[in-house]
Tab-separated table of all heavy atoms in Angstrom:
chain	number	residue	atom	x	y	z
A	39	ALA	N	-55.852	-9.606	1.774
A	39	ALA	CA	-57.301	-9.544	1.985
A	39	ALA	C	-57.907	-10.920	2.252
A	39	ALA	O	-58.960	-11.021	2.884
A	39	ALA	CB	-57.987	-8.918	0.770
A	43	PHE	N	-55.889	-17.934	1.209
A	43	PHE	CA	-55.503	-18.232	-0.174
A	43	PHE	C	-54.064	-18.730	-0.250
A	43	PHE	O	-53.185	-18.224	0.437
A	43	PHE	CB	-55.662	-16.991	-1.055
A	43	PHE	CG	-55.161	-17.185	-2.458
A	43	PHE	CD1	-55.864	-17.948	-3.362
A	43	PHE	CD2	-53.954	-16.619	-2.868
A	43	PHE	CE1	-55.392	-18.148	-4.653
A	43	PHE	CE2	-53.475	-16.808	-4.143
A	43	PHE	CZ	-54.198	-17.578	-5.052
A	51	ALA	N	-37.994	-26.883	-14.840
A	51	ALA	CA	-36.582	-26.478	-14.830
A	51	ALA	C	-36.375	-25.093	-15.444
A	51	ALA	O	-35.586	-24.909	-16.360
A	51	ALA	CB	-35.737	-27.513	-15.569
A	62	PRO	N	-45.071	-5.218	-13.971
A	62	PRO	CA	-46.377	-4.747	-13.465
A	62	PRO	C	-47.557	-5.371	-14.196
A	62	PRO	O	-48.586	-5.643	-13.585
A	62	PRO	CB	-46.314	-3.230	-13.694
A	62	PRO	CG	-44.856	-2.912	-13.698
A	62	PRO	CD	-44.197	-4.094	-14.355
A	71	ILE	N	-56.321	-13.017	-11.691
A	71	ILE	CA	-56.627	-14.449	-11.739
A	71	ILE	C	-56.837	-14.994	-10.335
A	71	ILE	O	-57.811	-15.715	-10.057
A	71	ILE	CB	-55.503	-15.224	-12.456
A	71	ILE	CG1	-55.473	-14.862	-13.949
A	71	ILE	CG2	-55.711	-16.738	-12.294
A	71	ILE	CD1	-54.329	-15.499	-14.708
A	98	GLU	N	-35.748	-18.613	-33.035
A	98	GLU	CA	-35.864	-17.206	-32.646
A	98	GLU	C	-37.044	-16.925	-31.732
A	98	GLU	O	-37.261	-15.784	-31.332
A	98	GLU	CB	-35.990	-16.331	-33.906
A	98	GLU	CG	-34.761	-16.386	-34.806
A	98	GLU	CD	-34.899	-15.475	-36.010
A	98	GLU	OE1	-36.017	-14.957	-36.224
A	98	GLU	OE2	-33.907	-15.286	-36.717
A	118	ASP	N	-74.499	-23.779	-15.870
A	118	ASP	CA	-74.712	-22.339	-16.012
A	118	ASP	C	-73.381	-21.601	-16.101
A	118	ASP	O	-73.235	-20.652	-16.885
A	118	ASP	CB	-75.511	-21.791	-14.823
A	118	ASP	CG	-76.976	-22.212	-14.874
A	118	ASP	OD1	-77.401	-22.740	-15.920
A	118	ASP	OD2	-77.673	-22.023	-13.860
A	125	ARG	N	-70.208	-17.326	-23.237
A	125	ARG	CA	-70.675	-15.991	-23.634
A	125	ARG	C	-69.545	-14.965	-23.503
A	125	ARG	O	-69.357	-14.108	-24.369
A	125	ARG	CB	-71.881	-15.575	-22.795
A	125	ARG	CG	-73.175	-16.288	-23.139
A	125	ARG	CD	-74.374	-15.608	-22.491
A	125	ARG	NE	-74.330	-15.708	-21.032
A	125	ARG	CZ	-74.883	-16.699	-20.342
A	125	ARG	NH1	-75.511	-17.668	-20.968
A	125	ARG	NH2	-74.819	-16.704	-19.018
A	130	LEU	N	-65.186	-11.545	-25.843
A	130	LEU	CA	-63.764	-11.209	-25.900
A	130	LEU	C	-63.225	-11.327	-27.321
A	130	LEU	O	-62.381	-10.536	-27.742
A	130	LEU	CB	-62.969	-12.115	-24.959
A	130	LEU	CG	-63.154	-11.849	-23.453
A	130	LEU	CD1	-62.487	-12.941	-22.645
A	130	LEU	CD2	-62.595	-10.489	-23.079
A	139	LEU	N	-64.996	-3.277	-18.368
A	139	LEU	CA	-63.754	-3.164	-17.615
A	139	LEU	C	-63.912	-2.362	-16.333
A	139	LEU	O	-63.201	-2.594	-15.352
A	139	LEU	CB	-62.657	-2.545	-18.487
A	139	LEU	CG	-62.198	-3.385	-19.684
A	139	LEU	CD1	-61.263	-2.586	-20.565
A	139	LEU	CD2	-61.509	-4.661	-19.206
A	140	ALA	N	-64.824	-1.405	-16.339
A	140	ALA	CA	-64.999	-0.532	-15.169
A	140	ALA	C	-65.956	-1.114	-14.135
A	140	ALA	O	-66.099	-0.566	-13.046
A	140	ALA	CB	-65.507	0.836	-15.617
A	152	LYS	N	-57.408	-7.922	-21.379
A	152	LYS	CA	-56.821	-6.632	-21.767
A	152	LYS	C	-55.327	-6.598	-21.413
A	152	LYS	O	-54.495	-6.160	-22.218
A	152	LYS	CB	-57.548	-5.479	-21.083
A	152	LYS	CG	-57.001	-4.094	-21.443
A	152	LYS	CD	-57.801	-3.006	-20.764
A	152	LYS	CE	-57.298	-1.620	-21.175
A	152	LYS	NZ	-55.893	-1.386	-20.778
A	154	VAL	N	-53.271	-9.148	-20.954
A	154	VAL	CA	-52.528	-10.100	-21.794
A	154	VAL	C	-52.248	-9.493	-23.159
A	154	VAL	O	-51.150	-9.628	-23.706
A	154	VAL	CB	-53.307	-11.430	-21.936
A	154	VAL	CG1	-52.670	-12.313	-23.009
A	154	VAL	CG2	-53.340	-12.170	-20.609
A	161	GLY	N	-43.410	-4.975	-33.124
A	161	GLY	CA	-42.723	-5.465	-34.306
A	161	GLY	C	-42.657	-6.972	-34.390
A	161	GLY	O	-41.970	-7.529	-35.248
A	166	PRO	N	-49.826	-12.852	-28.059
A	166	PRO	CA	-50.107	-13.668	-26.881
A	166	PRO	C	-51.483	-14.314	-27.003
A	166	PRO	O	-52.362	-13.802	-27.707
A	166	PRO	CB	-50.052	-12.667	-25.725
A	166	PRO	CG	-50.312	-11.341	-26.350
A	166	PRO	CD	-49.752	-11.412	-27.740
A	167	THR	N	-51.677	-15.434	-26.332
A	167	THR	CA	-52.952	-16.144	-26.371
A	167	THR	C	-53.539	-16.225	-24.964
A	167	THR	O	-52.817	-16.213	-23.967
A	167	THR	CB	-52.783	-17.563	-26.933
A	167	THR	OG1	-51.843	-18.294	-26.117
A	167	THR	CG2	-52.278	-17.519	-28.365
A	179	ILE	N	-57.129	-21.356	-16.610
A	179	ILE	CA	-56.748	-20.291	-17.534
A	179	ILE	C	-55.372	-20.633	-18.067
A	179	ILE	O	-54.472	-21.013	-17.309
A	179	ILE	CB	-56.700	-18.925	-16.814
A	179	ILE	CG1	-58.116	-18.430	-16.496
A	179	ILE	CG2	-55.970	-17.877	-17.659
A	179	ILE	CD1	-58.166	-17.120	-15.735
A	181	ILE	N	-52.363	-19.016	-20.550
A	181	ILE	CA	-51.852	-17.838	-21.249
A	181	ILE	C	-50.544	-18.212	-21.929
A	181	ILE	O	-49.668	-18.822	-21.314
A	181	ILE	CB	-51.615	-16.676	-20.259
A	181	ILE	CG1	-52.929	-16.268	-19.591
A	181	ILE	CG2	-50.978	-15.480	-20.964
A	181	ILE	CD1	-52.754	-15.341	-18.405
A	189	LYS	N	-29.631	-13.680	-30.173
A	189	LYS	CA	-28.342	-14.362	-30.232
A	189	LYS	C	-27.236	-13.321	-30.336
A	189	LYS	O	-27.319	-12.397	-31.153
A	189	LYS	CB	-28.277	-15.297	-31.441
A	189	LYS	CG	-29.209	-16.493	-31.324
A	189	LYS	CD	-29.004	-17.437	-32.489
A	189	LYS	CE	-29.854	-18.673	-32.332
A	189	LYS	NZ	-29.669	-19.620	-33.459
Side-chain angles (χ1 to χ4, degrees):
F43 174 74
I71 292 176
E98 297 182 350
D118 288 349
R125 287 193 294 269
L130 288 171
L139 294 172
K152 180 178 183 298
V154 169
T167 59
I179 288 178
I181 298 168
K189 292 185 176 180

